[in-house]
């Protein structure tokens, strides 16, 4: 029977000599640590056999909240290999956030950091999770202790292209987090296309410095390197100096704009330091034109900006090479995200559901083999996010020029992107509104030199009561992931409202937009 398991395709691309190095990294104590392709194969086989031995039903979710490590990547590969559904969770999430995901996804297996076992396992067992394992970034924990006793060969489970491979929680356009269901076919078709579109070739080496719980670091970066049989220089945390030093031995880098901003602040970033590099890719948030230009001047390289979503993986990209269709004139154009990727349909519609004329602004809608099938157990939400003719509404607002370049000009969804992470105002406002003395709050995104955009909270106190801005931030820090904490909080007498009584966030944004200007 034909096997469409994504793992099988990735495994088939491993180099012939399995003893060559696949991943170079350093141990938690700073010692060099190398993993061969054989190590990846055996490690993922052992973990897949362990998962298989648990007798969990087909389609079971494996929820994972662990620090970045090569073993954590092997756990992802093992989950695919065994035919289960991978559910990655940001390490910054705290108990209320984890409780929501576990309650909603009902994973059969949860893997967490050893230091979090107490509280995570309590939540998981209450929700009916069968097994909770631990995995530390120093290869400690019960997952590997158990897996080491399992066989190091494993025949990948047979999966069809439409079978679910992963669930990624995202808030979509509104409301509470929803699990975007991605299939083996969604992930593989996108990876195969990107390998070609971005010109991956023999000898490429990827610097992997992104977290591995979101699309960018987990799918776009890892799949490309594995499908190309390329070595990865693996950083468990982004350190600008160390990444720049590694460029001598690498050819490809992927990052969110904040990583580029931070590297530009390093004097060691020069043309010489980057002369071996072939490609710098940016995405997940808008890349400022200043950053694009400064990077060009300092390094001689033109960053390739692309655009994607958790629900769709990659959608649109600037060209890798000038396209002969247009007399070789098309270049990577700063401020745009480039052209729809091969096989991806992109259209721009007005609020009336009609296509807008070329160059005019409207709602971006997409379709293609990369687009997810829906949100986990939320058929109504899924239906709301697709048009009648089955295009996915991205919630992004943009335009396409006569040449075909797509520019994102804003979002219709109420989303703040801070350092490449999404912050949903409604979620944070919900927590603030529960605090003593608070009548109402509004969270708005304002420009920030490092994170691109950050949240600022504006709060009204209950009549006759006091609300304390610093106290609010301190309390939120105990409840929410660190990147969601407003960078500033203001207590005011009233919020600007329109005639319908709705808070005018555009006015608040304008009021606070220079707060972080240097
Ligand atoms: C950390 N902090 C942040 C953020 N990260 N604040 C706002 N936004 C952030 N993103 C705060 C912490 O709360 C803390 O604040 C202080 O910064 C230092 O924390 P630390 O953990 O040391 O920060 P860091 O290690 O310097 O992290 C910054 C980072 C990281 C490297 C930019 O945020 C990061 O790796 N971002 C990449 C996200 C990513 O991979 N996104 C892809 C999503 P305090 O000191 O007050 O406690 S995939 C996607 O969007 C789509 C599909 C796509 O197109 O790719
Ligand atoms: P996520 O919810 O993590 O899937 O984030 C997806 C969102 O990130 C998109 O809907 C866009 O709003 C934003 N995004 C991703 N790449 C870019 C980019 N290059 N420029 C502007 N926004 C981007």
């Amino acid at each position: 029977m034909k096997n469409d398991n994504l793992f099988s395709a990735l495994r088939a691309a491993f180099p012939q000599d399995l003893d060559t190095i696949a991943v170079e990294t350093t141990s938690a104590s700073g010692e060099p640590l190398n993993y061969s392709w054989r190590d990846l194969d055996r490690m993922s086989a052992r973990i897949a056999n362990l998962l298989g031995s648990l007798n969990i039903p087909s389609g079971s979710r494996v929820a994972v909240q662990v620090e970045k490590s090569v073993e954590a990547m092997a756990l992802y590969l093992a989950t695919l290999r065994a035919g289960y559904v991978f559910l990655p969770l940001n390490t910054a999430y705290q108990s209320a956030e984890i409780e929501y995901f576990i309650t909603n996804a009902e994973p059969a297996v949860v893997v967490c950091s050893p230091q979090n076992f107490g509280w995570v396992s309590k939540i998981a067992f209450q929700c009916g999770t069968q097994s909770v394992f631990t995995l530390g970034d120093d290869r400690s924990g019960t997952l590997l202790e158990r897996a080491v006793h399992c066989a190091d060969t494993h025949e990948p489970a047979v999966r069809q292209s439409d079978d679910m491979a992963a669930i990624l929680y995202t808030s979509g356009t509104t409301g509470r987090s929803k699990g975007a269901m991605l299939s083996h076919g969604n992930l593989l078709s996108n990876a195969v296309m990107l390998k070609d579109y971005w010109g991956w070739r023999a000898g490429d080496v990827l610097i992997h410095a992104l977290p591995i719980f979101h699309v960018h670091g987990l799918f776009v970066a890892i799949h490309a390197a594995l499908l190309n049989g390329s070595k990865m220089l693996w950083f468990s945390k982004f350190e600008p100096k160390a990444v720049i030093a590694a460029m001598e031995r690498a050819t490809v880098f992927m990052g969110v704009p904040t990583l580029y901003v931070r590297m530009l602040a390093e004097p060691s970033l020069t043309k010489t330091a980057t002369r071996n590099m072939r490609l710098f890719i940016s995405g997940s948030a808008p890349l400022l034109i200043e950053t694009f230009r400064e990077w060009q001047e300092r390094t001689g390289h033109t960053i390739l900006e692309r655009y994607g979503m958790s629900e769709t993986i990659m959608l649109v990209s600037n060209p890798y090479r000038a396209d002969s269709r247009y007399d070789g004139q098309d270049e990577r154009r700063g401020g745009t995200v480039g052209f729809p990727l091969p096989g991806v349909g992109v259209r721009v519609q007005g609020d009336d559901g009609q296509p807008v004329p070329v160059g005019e602004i409207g709602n971006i809608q997409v379709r293609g083999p990369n687009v997810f099938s829906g949100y986990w157990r939320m058929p109504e939400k899924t239906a709301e996010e697709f048009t009648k003719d089955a295009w996915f509404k991205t919630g992004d607002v943009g335009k396409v020029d006569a040449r075909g370049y797509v520019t994102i000009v804003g979002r219709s969804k109420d989303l703040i992107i801070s350092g490449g992470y999404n912050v949903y105002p409604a979620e944070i406002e919900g927590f603030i509104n529960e605090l003593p003395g608070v009548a109402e709050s509004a969270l708005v995104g304002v420009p920030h030199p490092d994170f691109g955009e950050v949240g600022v909270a504006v709060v009204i106190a209950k009549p006759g009561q006091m609300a304390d801005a610093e106290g609010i931030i301190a309390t939120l820090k105990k409840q929410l992931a660190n990147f969601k904490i407003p960078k500033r909080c203001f207590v005011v007498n009233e919020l600007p409202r329109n005639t319908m009584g709705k808070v005018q966030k555009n006015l608040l944004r304008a009021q606070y937009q220079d707060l972080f200007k240097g």
Side-chain angles (χ1 to χ4, degrees), residues 211 214 216 237 262 284 306 308-309 418-421 451 482 487:
H214 291 303
H216 201 161
K237 199 170 166 10
R262 290 189 181 183
S284 310
R306 75 359 170 231
M309 292 183 74
S418 183
Y421 287 140
F451 293 121
N482 58 10
K487 294 284 183 236

Side-chain angles (χ1 to χ4, degrees), residues 181-182 186 311-312 315 366-373 386 392:
M181 300 187 286
L182 292 163
N186 291 145
E311 291 92 335
T312 65
L315 290 164
V366 298
R367 69 172 178 195
N370 51 311
V371 175
F372 76 137
S373 57
F386 281 89
F392 175 60

